[in-house]
Amino acid sequence: PLSFKSYVSMAKVRVLNATPEMKALDEKFKDDPQKLQMAKMGIYREMGASMFGGCLPMLLSYPFLIALFFFFPQAVELRHESFLWATDLSTYDSILKLPFDIPMYGDHVSLFTLLMAASTLVYVYYQQQSQPMTGTNSQFRYIAYITPIFLLVFLNNYASGLSLYYLTSNLLQIS
């Protein structure tokens, strides 16, 4: 339900950004991004859309996300439960043992984590394509591409069930 409200809010903003009025504002204030944002926020307020309506539901879901980080490695139900190539969903799914240790990454490669990072990159790409580029968000565009790399590094040694959850979630969001 939280994701649905977030998607509805983002869809409203996306539809409003495609209107001729918004394009006229983009042209009028192309040299002053701050005035452009203020004018757009006024139109969003008039039309009942919120730029932050997509963020608030996401923030409310973070406690559940943090709970999942603690749940997957400690879940007795997942111990020695296999799925596809993973023999134990409560620990990492090593498909390749490295002859050396990479700091913070480990000495193995987890396929669910690789697939999750790839699906996150695809999801970020499609999200970036659906948003108009303005002066303020063009700087943050690249930060979203760094996030999958951090997830790849930090989740490589984590429970494969969590990476599988992220992968499934990303695939559902992309489709």
Side-chain angles (χ1 to χ4, degrees):
L2 294 176
S3 294
F4 179 74
K5 288 186 181 219
S6 176
Y7 291 141
V8 168
S9 179
M10 287 188 292
K12 285 181 184 178
V13 171
R14 193 176 319 127
V15 167
L16 284 173
N17 282 333
T19 62
E21 293 85 8
M22 288 294 202
K23 294 193 188 299
L25 284 177
D26 286 337
E27 189 61 35
K28 182 178 178 183
F29 296 114
K30 65 181 173 186
D31 295 329
D32 193 356
Q34 190 173 13
K35 285 185 180 178
L36 174 66
Q37 282 301 107
M38 295 300 288
K40 283 186 174 186
M41 291 301 280
I43 291 177
Y44 293 148
R45 212 172 297 115
E46 287 176 25
M47 302 306 263
S50 172
M51 285 290 290
F52 304 108
C55 297
L56 184 61
M58 298 291 242
L59 288 175
L60 293 174
S61 67
Y62 278 140
F64 298 105
L65 184 64
I66 292 168
L68 288 176
F69 270 91
F70 291 107
F71 170 75
F72 279 105
Q74 297 175 2
V76 176
E77 298 86 7
L78 296 178
R79 298 210 189 268
H80 304 291
E81 286 295 322
S82 61
F83 183 75
L84 298 176
W85 55 86
T87 56
D88 187 352
L89 291 174
S90 67
T91 187
Y92 57 83
D93 60 316
S94 179
I95 59 157
L96 178 65
K97 185 82 171 150
L98 300 175
F100 49 87
D101 187 44
I102 300 172
M104 294 191 331
Y105 185 75
D107 62 349
H108 65 278
V109 177
S110 296
L111 185 57
F112 277 134
T113 308
L114 279 175
L115 293 173
M116 179 268 313
S119 68
T120 305
L121 278 172
V122 170
Y123 176 70
V124 165
Y125 174 77
Y126 283 122
Q127 284 295 103
Q128 298 292 336
Q129 296 303 313
S130 68
Q131 296 174 356
M133 187 180 306
T134 62
T136 55
N137 76 355
S138 64
Q139 298 163 353
F140 294 109
R141 276 184 116 89
Y142 302 106
I143 293 174
Y145 287 107
I146 295 171
T147 303
I149 296 167
F150 281 117
L151 288 173
L152 176 67
V153 169
F154 292 122
L155 294 181
N156 188 58
N157 290 317
Y158 221 73
S160 59
L162 184 62
S163 297
L164 175 62
Y165 170 79
Y166 272 129
L167 172 64
T168 306
S169 175
N170 286 340
L171 293 177
L172 289 173
Q173 289 176 354
I174 290 170
S175 63

